[in-house]
């Protein structure tokens, strides 16, 4: 079954750290770029970061650059997001998503996990 | 404030047609980047509905269609059904931000 399952969310204090994981199954994980996307309560979607299939290329949204770090372990079919210096505004459901990168920068996200909730208390 | 602007809500009666607009700028839609649309049913993850302006993944009914012109794009839903009640988001690449951006989302109510 083709799916993504996130884990690692929870309650953390402002300034703290958390590591999210995303387990992939049903497809050749290493063939795909992967992203993290979040949704604050009652709000819209915000792209955060991507990592290439090999793990050699990464990029971040300005809102998390320098605080969050994306990585992957293709042997374990897993994606990670290390989140440091967390702020109240980082409170959101965090989704991992598979990216279709066939046409230049015209990426879209064709497979999503169910998300994991991160709550940052001030 | 989202880079792509959508109406907060739209509504229609069963069987009717509704359109959801997505207005961008010269750094995203107007630059020629593809627009994609997602449907998020209550309590679930987003699902791609339309990709590359006007393409439907397998399993998406042909009641859903996308179009693009200038700095705007639209999602049309014909023959509205109760199960279409959801939030809809447009998405594109923005070359000023060097990031993939989403609209603020539109809540569709089927009356």
């Amino acid at each position: 079954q083709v799916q993504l399952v996130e884990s690692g969310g929870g309650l953390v204090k402002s300034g703290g750290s958390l590591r999210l994981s995303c387990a992939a199954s049903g497809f050749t994980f290493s063939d795909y770029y992967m992203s993290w996307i979040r949704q604050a309560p009652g709000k819209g979607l915000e792209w955060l970061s991507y990592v290439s299939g090999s793990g050699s290329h990464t990029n971040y949204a300005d809102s998390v650059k320098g605080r969050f770090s994306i990585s992957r372990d293709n042997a374990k079919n897993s994606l990670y997001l290390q989140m440091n210096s967390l702020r109240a505004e980082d409170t959101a459901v965090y989704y991992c998503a598979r990216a279709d990168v066939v046409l230049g920068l015209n990426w879209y996200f064709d497979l999503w996990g169910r998300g994991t909730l991160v709550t940052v208390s001030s | 404030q989202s880079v792509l602007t959508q109406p907060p809500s739209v509504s229609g009666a069963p069987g009717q047609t509704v359109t959801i607009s997505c207005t961008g700028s010269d750094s995203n839609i107007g630059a020629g980047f593809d627009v994609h649309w997602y449907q998020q049913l209550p309590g679930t993850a987003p699902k791609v509905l339309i990709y590359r302006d006007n393409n439907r993944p397998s399993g998406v009914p042909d009641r859903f269609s996308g179009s693009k012109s200038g700095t705007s794009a639209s999602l049309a839903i014909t023959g509205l059904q109760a199960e279409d009640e959801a939030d809809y988001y447009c998405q594109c690449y923005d070359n000023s931000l060097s990031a993939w951006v989403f609209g603020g989302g539109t809540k569709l109510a089927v009356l």
Side-chain angles (χ1 to χ4, degrees):
Chain A
Q1 185 180 1
V2 177
Q3 66 176 359
L4 300 168
V5 179
E6 301 91 340
S7 61
L11 178 63
V12 61
K13 291 185 177 179
S14 180
S17 298
L18 209 56
R19 189 194 196 207
L20 305 183
S21 299
C22 171
S25 58
F27 63 98
T28 306
F29 182 64
S30 59
D31 283 350
Y32 289 89
Y33 281 53
M34 298 295 296
S35 271
W36 287 97
I37 296 165
R38 71 183 177 186
Q39 185 171 33
K43 302 296 184 182
L45 300 163
E46 179 187 15
W47 171 81
L48 298 179
S49 180
Y50 82 76
V51 60
S52 61
S54 66
S56 59
H57 298 286
T58 61
N59 198 9
Y60 300 89
D62 288 344
S63 59
V64 302
K65 197 171 293 183
R67 299 190 300 125
F68 289 12
S69 177
I70 192 171
S71 62
R72 65 192 297 160
D73 184 336
N74 288 338
K76 294 183 178 180
N77 289 336
S78 293
L79 176 73
Y80 306 102
L81 185 68
Q82 177 67 42
M83 304 186 296
N84 299 327
S85 303
L86 283 163
R87 307 164 180 166
E89 54 264 37
D90 294 319
T91 294
V93 173
Y94 285 72
Y95 296 101
C96 67
R98 189 177 74 178
D100 181 299
V101 304
V102 171
L103 293 180
L105 294 169
N106 291 306
W107 298 12
Y108 68 98
F109 305 100
D110 65 352
L111 180 67
W112 297 63
R114 299 178 75 171
T116 186
L117 176 63
V118 172
T119 303
V120 183
S121 64
S122 53
Chain B
Q1 192 82 0
S2 300
V3 172
L4 303 177
T5 301
Q6 298 180 233
S9 63
V10 297
S11 63
Q16 286 189 334
T17 296
V18 296
T19 61
I20 298 172
S21 61
C22 174
T23 302
S25 67
D26 290 338
S27 63
N28 42 67
I29 299 175
F33 291 108
D34 292 346
V35 178
H36 320 287
W37 291 89
Y38 300 85
Q39 178 191 58
Q40 186 175 30
L41 296 169
T44 70
K47 175 189 90 167
V48 61
L49 197 64
I50 298 288
Y51 65 96
R52 297 189 194 126
D53 297 341
N54 55 18
N55 295 276
R56 281 176 287 106
S58 60
V60 173
D62 60 6
R63 302 185 296 104
F64 296 89
S65 63
S67 62
K68 186 175 78 176
S69 178
T71 58
S72 295
S74 292
L75 172 71
I77 309 172
T78 61
L80 265 182
Q81 299 181 5
E83 58 260 37
D84 297 334
E85 277 208 345
D87 293 326
Y88 293 85
Y89 294 89
C90 58
Q91 177 247 312
C92 189
Y93 182 76
D94 188 287
N95 62 14
S96 290
L97 297 173
S98 298
W100 290 268
V101 294
F102 291 87
T106 298
K107 183 175 291 292
L108 168 63
V110 180
L111 305 173

